Amino acid sequence: MKNFFSWMEARCYYKIGLPIFIAQLSQTGMTFADTAMTGQYNAEDMAAVAVAGSVFAPVALLGVGCLLALPPLTAQMVGGGKHKKTAHLLRQGIWLTLAICIPIMIFFQIISHQLELFGLSPRMANLSGGYLRALLWGMPAFMFFVNQRSFFEGFSRTRPAMIIAMLGLLLNVPCNYILIYGKLGLPPLGAVGCGIASAICYWFMALAMMYYLRRDPQFRDLHPLFTPFRKNRPIDEPVFDWHLMFRALRIGFPSALALFFEVSLFALSAILLAPMGTIMVAGHQIAQNYGSLVFMIPLAIGMTATIRVGFCCGAKKPVQARISAMTALSLSVVFALLICLLSIVFRHGIAAIYNNDPQVLDLAMRLMFYVGAYQLVDGLQMTGIGVLRGYNDTRIISVICFIAYWIIGLPLGYALARTDWICDSPMGAEGFWISYIFALGFGALCYWLRVRFLQSLPPEDLLARVRR
């Protein structure tokens, strides 16, 4: 049992993971506030935010995903006692952020003027394009925030990001109110105002994190920011460390692709359900929104697993890394069972929070059974991904995600939801949720087998793979 679960590790997961959970929940709260407040202003503006968000999210996550190598790499340096090198990694991450942001911003600028090609009306295309053009200016700030958050997470310091994310949410609401509705002498901007408000909040979060980092006494001697051109810079720390940037990108890009595959699957499933009517889409949206909220728990466990496993590998403690990984998987199962039980028992109350239409409620309550089962496999696959990131073993993640989401999930979901190829009649939203469970179940099994393979390697071989 001692090799599969450790109460000491569990306490570390609580200490590190709870702030991550709250920070992620705060960022989800910003999306909820954007949708709710534009909905109160105008249904068309709310729809424009939703459409533009479905374009923004997959591409933005593709960029952010490229930075997901920074937390495990930083944790490995900290675990290995190479604290000074973490500041160099942070600076290279900033250059990497700039390199990634430029093509993404150009893409958003171009696509924002071409949204009519997606079948949108001129009015909707104009609103969605305006929102996207406003929001794209917040992209560098958000990635800079993620970059600095990764530095803190490498030191197991997750509270700064939690505090700043909560402040960002608190700022988002009044900014939305002023810019969407036109207060303090400003004209009402609707969806465009919502995009401006989000961009402002992202810059606030990035600058607040930078201020926190510069003032923190733990990092004062490391000079993590604004020192790449100092005269007394060590010889082995070039201004542009192409090797280190390429290594971070090589480790992070597969995770970015995995995020893109996952987000695009959910976006496409919503589009494919649209012809089946408003009730079908509304019920599916309730289940998906609730699922995204409870997803923050396995996400926090997975991100914490990346930090802990990376730290143990950097400290050359592969046995402790194994214990940490198995503790994370055990915790994910416990929380998944709890969420599954609560989702089923309180399905009526959960659905009623979102809508009071009897037909929508009936569909949403049926989908809650699938959401509950989905949590079991989602928790395992998310934690497995986090463990593999801690081992720097990310190439296989994108391959598994592509097979799970695009080879299994999307075709199976379409066949069940829209056709009678498998069942006597189309199942609608229930068909897609069944496909999600099969897809993530396949992914969870593959990640589990990969983790077991890595842990079966001789310690020296495992650590050599991590250092590559």
Side-chain angles (χ1 to χ4, degrees):
M1 180 68 179
K2 67 180 181 179
N3 289 327
F4 287 89
F5 187 83
S6 165
W7 286 107
M8 183 176 295
E9 274 297 316
R11 285 193 290 271
C12 288
Y13 274 82
Y14 169 77
K15 181 180 178 181
I16 299 172
L18 183 60
I20 292 177
F21 169 73
I22 296 173
Q24 293 298 132
L25 203 61
S26 298
Q27 291 180 29
T28 303
M30 289 179 63
T31 303
F32 174 79
D34 288 350
T35 304
M37 296 183 76
T38 50
Q40 292 294 323
Y41 174 76
N42 185 291
E44 195 173 25
D45 283 78
M46 182 183 71
V49 169
V51 169
S54 66
V55 175
F56 181 83
V59 181
L61 287 175
L62 187 63
V64 171
C66 292
L67 303 179
L68 291 179
L70 300 180
L73 287 175
T74 305
Q76 288 159 20
M77 290 176 178
V78 174
K82 302 175 182 178
H83 293 68
K84 291 186 178 180
K85 289 187 177 295
T86 59
H88 180 59
L89 175 62
L90 171 60
R91 290 191 287 271
Q92 300 313 304
I94 294 173
W95 296 125
L96 186 60
T97 293
L98 292 174
I100 293 170
C101 275
I102 292 172
I104 289 178
M105 292 178 70
I106 293 173
F107 170 79
F108 283 144
Q109 180 67 28
I110 294 173
I111 202 71
S112 68
H113 293 285
Q114 308 296 327
L115 293 177
E116 286 189 52
L117 298 177
F118 293 90
L120 300 181
S121 67
R123 166 70 175 166
M124 181 67 72
N126 183 55
L127 287 174
S128 299
Y131 172 82
L132 199 57
R133 285 190 292 275
L135 188 59
L136 70 86
W137 293 105
M139 185 70 192
F142 182 70
M143 292 189 67
F144 185 37
F145 169 76
V146 171
N147 195 316
Q148 296 175 93
R149 185 184 71 183
S150 300
F151 178 79
F152 277 102
E153 287 176 352
F155 285 84
S156 299
R157 295 275 305 278
T158 53
R159 287 191 176 185
M162 176 193 72
I163 295 169
I164 292 170
M166 292 173 66
L167 291 175
L169 175 60
L170 292 176
L171 177 64
N172 181 249
V173 174
C175 285
N176 271 342
Y177 179 72
I178 293 170
L179 293 168
I180 293 174
Y181 300 101
K183 304 298 179 179
L184 301 180
L186 296 174
L189 298 174
V192 176
C194 180
I196 296 172
S198 296
I200 290 172
C201 291
Y202 289 151
W203 278 106
F204 164 79
M205 291 164 62
L207 294 175
M209 186 68 91
M210 184 179 71
Y211 177 80
Y212 199 114
L213 181 58
R214 285 178 60 83
R215 299 284 295 180
D216 195 308
Q218 179 181 356
F219 306 118
R220 195 164 294 161
D221 294 336
L222 297 181
H223 305 292
L225 294 172
F226 303 121
T227 54
F229 300 104
R230 68 185 189 278
K231 294 181 179 180
N232 61 339
R233 186 182 69 253
I235 298 176
D236 61 343
E237 292 187 6
V239 175
F240 299 102
D241 193 336
W242 302 107
H243 175 74
L244 185 58
M245 280 192 280
F246 179 76
R247 185 186 181 208
L249 190 60
R250 176 174 55 83
I251 296 171
F253 187 67
S255 296
L257 283 178
L259 281 173
F260 177 79
F261 293 146
E262 182 175 2
V263 173
S264 57
L265 169 65
F266 284 98
L268 280 174
S269 63
I271 293 171
L272 290 172
L273 286 173
M276 303 187 76
T278 303
I279 293 173
M280 188 67 68
V281 174
H284 175 71
Q285 185 64 30
I286 289 172
Q288 190 166 306
N289 187 266
Y290 170 72
S292 67
L293 288 175
V294 295
F295 170 72
M296 295 302 133
I297 296 176
L299 177 63
I301 295 174
M303 293 175 71
T304 308
T306 298
I307 296 168
R308 289 297 302 155
V309 172
F311 177 87
C312 294
C313 289
K316 299 181 180 179
K317 297 178 179 178
V319 175
Q320 186 62 34
R322 170 192 169 89
I323 294 172
S324 182
M326 301 310 292
T327 300
L329 291 166
S330 301
L331 289 172
S332 70
V333 171
V334 171
F335 278 105
L337 288 171
L338 180 61
I339 294 169
C340 177
L341 179 63
L342 294 175
S343 300
I344 294 172
V345 172
F346 297 104
R347 60 189 183 278
H348 183 274
I350 294 169
I353 294 173
Y354 292 90
N355 199 284
N356 56 9
D357 184 286
Q359 291 180 291
V360 175
L361 281 177
D362 180 65
L363 175 59
M365 285 190 293
R366 293 203 311 272
L367 293 178
M368 285 300 163
F369 286 96
Y370 298 104
V371 174
Y374 169 86
Q375 299 308 313
L376 300 175
V377 290
D378 192 29
L380 283 173
Q381 71 99 22
M382 196 64 231
T383 306
I385 289 174
V387 171
L388 291 179
R389 285 175 181 156
Y391 284 125
N392 286 351
D393 189 60
T394 57
R395 290 185 183 179
I396 197 169
I397 294 175
S398 58
V399 177
I400 293 173
C401 278
F402 177 75
I403 296 172
Y405 296 136
W406 284 77
I407 303 299
I408 297 175
L410 188 60
L412 179 61
Y414 180 82
L416 291 171
R418 294 287 303 274
T419 74
D420 58 359
W421 299 342
I422 299 175
C423 301
D424 293 335
S425 61
M427 296 181 65
E430 292 175 89
F432 268 113
W433 280 95
I434 292 173
S435 75
Y436 295 161
I437 294 169
F438 273 97
L440 268 70
F442 169 81
L445 177 62
C446 291
Y447 297 133
W448 164 259
L449 292 175
R450 185 65 177 181
V451 170
R452 296 296 292 170
F453 165 74
L454 292 175
Q455 294 178 343
S456 68
L457 295 174
E460 59 274 12
D461 291 347
L462 175 61
L463 294 176
R465 291 175 67 97
V466 172
R467 287 193 294 270
R468 283 191 305 185

